[in-house]
Amino acid sequence: MAKEESNQRIKFAYRLSGWSFDGGSKSLLRDQADKILPSEYTAEMESEIFCPVCYTILIRVPKDKDYFSNGRDAYFAHMGKYKEVKCDLRTMRPEGKRYDNYEEAQKAVDDEDLVVISGFLQQRPEAPEVPAGKYDETPVEDINGKLTEVPLGRHSGESFKLPSKITTVAGICRRFDENINRYYHFPNGKLAIRLIDLLHDVRDVTIEDEIPRLYFGIIKNIYCLAENPKPHNKRMTQLQCSSTVRDFRIKPTIEIAQQKGITETSIGRVVIMYGAVKEDGLGLGIENLKWGEFALLPRQYEGLLIT
Ligand SMILES: [Zn+2]
């Protein structure tokens, strides 16, 4: 039960007073429930919190809020009562999602349970100028990509042609709380994996990795080597990293960093990026991030990644 679930894959619970898994409308729950982090749980929420994937009732572990001083190590777990309801958030090691047939996979795309990504926008699309002084990114919608053959059949070797999206990390961040439990298929990926399981913490990275992956990191320091910085100079952005790594940097140009809202005031914020980890000086980093390949995570979602 609870013990084997201490993997903390349930990032938030739906809370709706009076709702019940037995007979309750799932769409009503999704529309009306509050999203609660394990650290936000209080005793009066007992029997009012539900799994965002299988909708069965959850418990907070430990139940007693005062057990830990700040709720940092608290997590949500399923109840044994609903053991027969399958939910892959119960498992320690997530498996990729597979589909029985094309119709099932297409339905998952239509329902936005599955997102097939065929690429990230390399350049900023033509868009109205952002008002001066406003650093929020101009919202850019996903662009529809080609039908893409993805190997997501339950039977080995079976693949389906599904509609894909050319997206941005900013787009993934925009409704991050909803996206976090969706399945994503990234370019050249073998499986569709929940976003929560695709995100790698930079603090756990100790070696190079040539396969592009999705990473998140906390900005530790921002500086520029140029004396009179120009838009094409690099805004050195250092991220919190493993103690065995000298430093971990991304180096967007000042111009692009500005468009992304990454400024000297962004220290402590979370940045999400898609790329390969390479040596950078004596440390590590992700180089040549293109426009759509990194973004600041809106503050309201930080609690879903950083506890
Ligand atoms: Zn569940």
Side-chain angles (χ1 to χ4, degrees):
M1 257 196 23
K3 249 187 186 157
E4 68 213 28
E5 269 200 50
S6 59
N7 54 351
Q8 311 196 0
R9 288 179 66 228
I10 308 175
K11 290 298 173 184
F12 66 86
Y14 283 131
R15 182 205 181 186
L16 190 58
S17 179
W19 195 84
S20 164
F21 176 77
D22 303 301
S25 153
K26 287 163 189 168
S27 58
L28 180 96
L29 179 70
R30 280 195 304 265
D31 291 346
Q32 300 195 353
D34 292 324
K35 295 184 179 113
I36 304 291
L37 300 176
S39 58
E40 294 170 336
Y41 179 86
T42 55
E44 64 265 26
M45 297 181 194
E46 193 176 348
S47 355
E48 296 181 356
I49 56 167
F50 305 94
C51 175
V53 167
C54 72
Y55 310 108
T56 64
I57 195 162
L58 298 176
I59 47 168
R60 210 279 300 259
V61 183
K63 209 171 169 183
D64 181 359
K65 195 184 178 176
D66 300 329
Y67 190 83
F68 293 113
S69 53
N70 54 11
R72 245 180 93 98
D73 299 319
Y75 61 93
F76 290 128
H78 293 83
M79 287 180 80
K81 188 183 167 193
Y82 290 101
K83 224 181 191 161
E84 76 284 2
V85 179
K86 272 195 173 177
C87 179
D88 83 346
L89 289 187
R90 279 176 188 266
T91 56
M92 295 291 277
R93 214 173 290 155
E95 289 169 26
K97 179 80 171 168
R98 296 194 177 278
Y99 300 90
D100 280 332
N101 50 47
Y102 163 78
E103 286 72 23
E104 195 189 300
Q106 176 68 53
K107 184 174 186 304
V109 172
D110 292 343
D111 294 347
E112 297 186 55
D113 286 334
L114 169 65
V115 185
V116 178
I117 292 179
S118 50
F120 289 87
L121 278 181
Q122 300 292 291
Q123 282 180 348
R124 186 186 198 186
E126 295 292 324
E129 278 302 305
V130 184
K134 238 197 157 180
Y135 294 126
D136 279 340
E137 250 188 287
T138 323
V140 175
E141 295 309 320
D142 292 335
I143 295 173
N144 288 329
K146 290 187 216 145
L147 282 179
T148 301
E149 187 119 13
V150 286
L152 299 181
R154 199 173 305 283
H155 311 290
S156 87
E158 191 180 16
S159 57
F160 309 122
K161 272 196 172 160
L162 295 173
S164 71
K165 287 184 190 309
I166 299 167
T167 192
T168 60
V169 171
I172 291 173
C173 289
R174 198 164 301 125
R175 290 184 296 155
F176 192 71
D177 54 343
E178 292 172 32
N179 291 336
I180 203 161
N181 291 317
R182 292 195 164 116
Y183 289 99
Y184 280 76
H185 184 271
F186 279 177
N188 305 317
K190 290 190 180 71
L191 298 165
I193 312 253
R194 285 193 197 275
L195 186 63
I196 177 63
D197 302 312
L198 282 166
L199 285 154
H200 301 271
D201 190 334
V202 163
R203 293 172 296 185
D204 298 330
V205 176
T206 54
I207 50 168
E208 288 185 293
D209 187 344
E210 62 184 21
I211 298 170
R213 297 180 200 280
L214 206 55
Y215 293 91
F216 68 93
I218 304 166
I219 298 178
K220 183 181 162 190
N221 194 15
I222 290 183
Y223 58 95
C224 183
L225 296 172
E227 239 170 65
N228 298 301
K230 307 268 188 322
H232 65 269
N233 288 135
K234 307 269 192 205
R235 180 162 280 163
M236 299 293 185
T237 306
Q238 243 177 337
L239 306 178
Q240 289 184 18
C241 62
S242 158
S243 59
T244 63
V245 175
R246 187 174 183 271
D247 62 10
F248 193 107
R249 294 187 297 189
I250 58 171
K251 303 189 279 192
T253 64
I254 289 177
E255 183 179 24
I256 295 178
Q258 204 78 10
Q259 290 167 1
K260 299 273 150 189
I262 298 177
T263 69
E264 279 77 6
T265 63
S266 305
I267 291 169
R269 295 283 304 270
V270 174
V271 61
I272 298 191
M273 62 231 117
Y274 179 78
V277 173
K278 299 212 169 113
E279 275 184 13
D280 176 17
L282 294 171
L284 294 172
I286 301 178
E287 286 201 54
N288 296 321
L289 284 169
K290 299 295 192 300
W291 190 82
E293 292 175 339
F294 68 109
L296 280 181
L297 181 69
R299 277 183 205 276
Q300 73 260 36
Y301 302 133
E302 287 176 358
L304 294 170
L305 284 183
I306 310 288
T307 49

